[in-house]
Amino acid sequence: MSIIMVVLSILIPISMLISAWLFKMCRIVYHVLAVGCAYVFGIISVLAIYEILRDETVFMTNIHGIFQNWLFLLSGAYLGCYGIYTLLRWTLKELRSE
């Protein structure tokens, strides 16, 4: 399973980069998805922390329950791939300009 995650974390940003070069609309879709995922990721995080502070429970044991939320994991995974895609795109732009 770890090998699959590593391979996908390499292949997905590269495929995003290629599709963004081929189709300009993909760039907009990737940006909009990233903004949406950032909101989802942030809201779920804030609500989990608020619940822990409100209930005055032990932070380190209860916060791990957030990792059972598939929406949190999915949005975080997309943000990770999007971040790598963005870094690749910026790097290639810099290399082209020199």
Side-chain angles (χ1 to χ4, degrees):
M1 186 65 171
S2 342
I3 293 173
I4 292 172
M5 288 191 294
V6 170
V7 169
L8 287 177
S9 69
I10 293 169
L11 292 179
I12 290 175
I14 291 173
S15 66
M16 289 171 72
L17 187 64
I18 292 169
S19 65
W21 277 341
L22 295 175
F23 310 104
K24 291 188 180 192
M25 187 63 179
C26 286
R27 277 187 242 157
I28 296 168
V29 170
Y30 295 152
H31 296 320
V32 170
L33 280 174
V35 170
C37 285
Y39 273 115
V40 169
F41 191 84
I43 289 170
I44 292 172
S45 301
V46 165
L47 290 176
I49 292 170
Y50 171 73
E51 183 180 321
I52 288 169
L53 294 175
R54 183 193 65 205
D55 297 341
E56 295 180 5
T57 56
V58 178
F59 181 75
M60 292 306 290
T61 57
N62 291 347
I63 196 63
H64 291 100
I66 199 170
F67 295 125
Q68 295 175 347
N69 187 334
W70 64 271
L71 201 53
F72 176 82
L73 295 174
L74 188 64
S75 62
Y78 179 76
L79 287 175
C81 289
Y82 176 78
I84 295 170
Y85 152 74
T86 304
L87 289 173
L88 284 172
R89 191 163 173 242
W90 284 344
T91 302
L92 292 175
K93 278 186 178 181
E94 287 294 320
L95 290 174
R96 282 178 154 182
S97 68
E98 292 181 2

